[in-house]
């Protein structure tokens, strides 16, 4: 027996659940399938378990894509204010942490429970794999629990990041199955790794966090950097990782807003008897100050201007050349994905095959750290959910 629905949504994550909820509340017969044992697993671990569910300020400039304009329509159609209003309607308490990032006061489970309530009119089947897909007057899916048919198909299975939570390349396989291109996926918002020589001194600083300005080309972020046993992490590094081409270097300003060269030369006069480590310690974490001071024991008055100028320039423009990253296992999101040139920006519907939609992380739209990727999930899910028609 073949079961029929208006739409089948594959993927019970943020985008898939929200899309299903929007479609179900429009009176459509909706089936949500997921191969995992429970829905929203990535939601539950996000934001340290408190879910950074959106950001107060969201625009297309906060996203990476081969088509930087693609996200505009969906983002305008469902804004952070719209999602905040929904959160407030469900009585979920939240707070702004930094840089417009909104978190639940309680648990990420509250967001997931809200999404499941919105999906009350849809049927959710977990632990179900999709073996085959075809289109013949409608979409036919052979699953591990029988065959289903629908006039519409929404692919919301995300990218390759965090495979331990069940991430796979299903969305890309589906795209190719129906004649769509895929921008090669790569890890984004991911810690960076370095060669043995660099890692040796970074390991000595493991656990040290410092506010920095980090940049590559014209891209710049001001957040914290964290030294690890494998290299560098922290919000600043995760942000810049999304923009790094293989083999590219980036710069770190350890004294943002301060001309370190002038500061050191002034300290030579102002604090003539102080040691370099003490002077640096006024602007850097103690262990980082000790690293840059090295074995230098002379007072500031005895240090050559040339030495201080060179150190100042290094502090403001320290170049890092990573050898790689910690990969999809530690990447918060996947950059690349289904080619947006073959999707309608207002609805995320295929230009090639009406009724086929790709949403969320599956698409070549990747947000910054700080709630942007969740907002893309809500916006793209809403766009598709509103556009789906009974066929």
């Amino acid at each position: 027996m073949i079961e029929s629905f208006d739409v089948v949504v594959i993927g019970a994550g943020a985008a898939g659940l929200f899309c299903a909820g929007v479609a179900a509340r429009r009176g459509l017969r909706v089936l949500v399938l997921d191969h995992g044992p429970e829905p929203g697993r990535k939601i539950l671990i996000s934001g340290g378990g408190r879910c950074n569910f959106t950001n107060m300020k969201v625009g297309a400039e906060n996203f990476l894509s081969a088509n930087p304009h693609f996200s505009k329509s969906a983002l305008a159609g469902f804004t952070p204010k719209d999602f905040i209003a929904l959160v407030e309607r469900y009585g979920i308490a939240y707070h702004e942490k930094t840089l417009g990032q909104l978190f639940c006061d309680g648990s990420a489970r509250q967001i997931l429970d809200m999404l499941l309530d919105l999906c009350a009119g849809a049927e959710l089947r977990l632990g179900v794999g999709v073996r085959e897909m075809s289109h013949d007057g409608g979409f036919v899916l052979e699953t591990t629990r029988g065959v289903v048919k629908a006039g519409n198909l929404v692919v919301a299975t995300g990218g390759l990041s965090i495979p331990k939570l069940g991430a796979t390349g299903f969305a890309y396989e589906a795209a190719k199955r129906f004649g769509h291109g895929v921008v090669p996926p790569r890890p984004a918002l991911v810690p960076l790794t370095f060669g043995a020589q660099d890692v040796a001194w970074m390991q000595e600083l493991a656990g040290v966090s410092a506010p920095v300005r980090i940049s590559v080309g014209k891209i710049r972020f001001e957040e914290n950097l964290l030294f690890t046993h494998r290299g560098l992490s922290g919000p600043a590094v995760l942000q810049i990782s999304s923009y790094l081409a293989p083999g590219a270097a980036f710069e770190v300003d350890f004294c943002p807003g301060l001309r370190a060269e002038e500061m050191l030369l002034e300290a030579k006069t102002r604090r003539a008897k102080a040691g370099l480590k003490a002077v640096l310690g006024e602007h850097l974490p103690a262990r980082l100050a000790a690293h840059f001071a090295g074995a230098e024991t002379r007072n500031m008055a005895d240090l050559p201007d040339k030495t201080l100028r060179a150190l100042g320039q290094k502090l403001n423009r320290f170049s890092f050349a990573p050898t790689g990253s910690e990969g999809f296992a530690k990447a918060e999101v996947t950059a690349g994905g289904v080619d947006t040139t073959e999707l309608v920006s207002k609805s995320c519907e295929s230009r090639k095959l009406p009724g086929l939609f790709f949403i969320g992380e599956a698409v070549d739209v990747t947000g910054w750290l700080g709630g942007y990727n969740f907002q893309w999930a809500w916006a793209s899910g809403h766009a598709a959910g509103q556009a789906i028609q009974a066929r």
Side-chain angles (χ1 to χ4, degrees):
M1 177 180 174
I2 299 178
E3 298 180 273
S4 294
F5 297 86
D6 291 317
V7 56
V8 173
V9 178
I10 307 178
L17 289 175
F18 197 61
C19 177
V22 172
R25 292 193 171 219
R26 292 179 53 230
L28 297 173
R29 294 168 299 157
V30 182
L31 172 64
V32 182
L33 301 176
D34 198 292
H35 72 284
E38 57 184 342
R41 296 179 73 185
K42 211 168 180 181
I43 295 172
L44 294 177
I45 69 166
S46 65
R50 291 193 172 181
C51 190
N52 180 193
F53 57 82
T54 192
N55 195 290
M56 294 290 286
K57 297 181 180 179
V58 174
E61 66 275 9
N62 304 122
F63 296 84
L64 292 80
S65 175
N67 177 2
H69 301 290
F70 178 80
S71 64
K72 290 181 178 179
S73 292
L75 292 172
F78 191 82
T79 68
K81 287 184 179 180
D82 293 320
F83 194 77
I84 292 168
L86 189 60
V87 166
E88 292 177 345
R89 194 165 84 225
Y90 273 81
I92 300 173
Y94 64 90
H95 62 278
E96 180 181 350
K97 192 173 181 181
T98 57
L99 303 173
Q101 302 170 31
L102 299 187
F103 291 77
C104 296
D105 286 356
S107 165
R109 172 65 65 176
Q110 295 172 285
I111 297 296
L112 179 56
D113 288 345
M114 179 187 78
L115 294 175
L116 292 173
D117 184 69
L118 290 171
C119 287
E123 183 174 347
L124 175 61
R125 296 181 186 173
L126 301 173
V128 179
V130 177
R131 291 170 172 164
E132 298 288 344
M133 294 182 293
S134 61
H135 185 268
D136 181 15
F139 294 92
V140 180
L141 280 65
E142 180 185 332
T143 79
T144 53
R145 285 176 56 185
V147 178
V148 296
K149 186 174 182 179
N152 300 274
L153 175 64
V154 179
V155 180
T157 53
L160 296 171
S161 60
I162 317 184
K164 70 179 182 180
L165 294 182
T168 71
F170 181 90
Y172 315 136
E173 296 166 11
K176 294 173 183 176
R177 171 68 182 81
F178 293 114
H180 281 258
V182 174
V183 176
R186 59 186 176 81
L189 300 182
V190 62
L192 298 174
T193 56
F194 294 79
Q197 185 173 352
D198 285 326
V199 168
W201 67 266
M202 291 179 187
Q203 287 179 336
E204 296 177 0
L205 293 171
V208 172
S209 178
V212 302
R213 180 183 294 131
I214 192 168
S215 60
V216 58
K218 294 182 179 180
I219 304 300
R220 179 179 298 176
F221 295 97
E222 288 196 30
E223 295 195 60
N224 277 16
L225 171 149
L226 174 68
F227 289 92
T228 74
H229 287 286
R230 297 191 63 185
L232 296 176
S233 188
V237 172
L238 298 185
Q239 296 279 41
I240 210 68
S241 73
S242 298
Y243 291 88
L244 285 181
F250 60 92
E251 287 190 347
V252 171
D253 181 352
F254 285 102
C255 299
L258 176 68
R259 293 198 61 173
E261 185 178 340
E262 294 180 0
M263 176 272 292
L264 290 171
L265 290 174
E266 180 184 341
K268 181 175 181 177
T269 300
R270 183 175 58 87
R271 300 192 59 194
K273 294 184 178 181
L276 180 58
K277 177 181 174 180
V279 170
L280 292 176
E282 295 178 353
H283 307 281
L284 303 172
R287 287 168 61 194
L288 188 57
H291 169 76
F292 280 115
E296 184 58 69
T297 58
R298 288 174 291 179
N299 293 338
M300 293 297 294
D302 299 325
L303 293 174
D305 286 1
K306 181 179 180 180
T307 298
L308 296 176
R309 290 184 187 280
L311 177 58
Q313 292 171 11
K314 186 176 183 180
L315 288 169
N316 283 140
R317 300 189 62 180
F318 196 107
S319 180
F320 286 95
T323 56
S325 76
E326 295 198 29
F328 290 113
K330 295 294 179 69
E332 297 207 9
V333 293
T334 303
V338 179
D339 193 339
T340 60
T341 61
E342 298 167 343
L343 302 178
V344 178
S345 62
K346 189 176 181 180
S347 62
C348 295
E349 184 174 13
S350 168
R351 295 182 183 276
K352 294 186 171 184
L353 184 57
L356 175 63
F357 300 78
F358 293 92
I359 61 175
E361 192 180 341
V363 181
D364 177 32
V365 175
T366 306
W368 290 1
L369 184 72
Y372 298 98
N373 287 291
F374 271 126
Q375 187 58 37
W376 170 245
W378 317 137
S380 59
H382 181 268
Q386 288 284 8
I388 293 168
Q389 300 296 322
R391 301 174 194 272

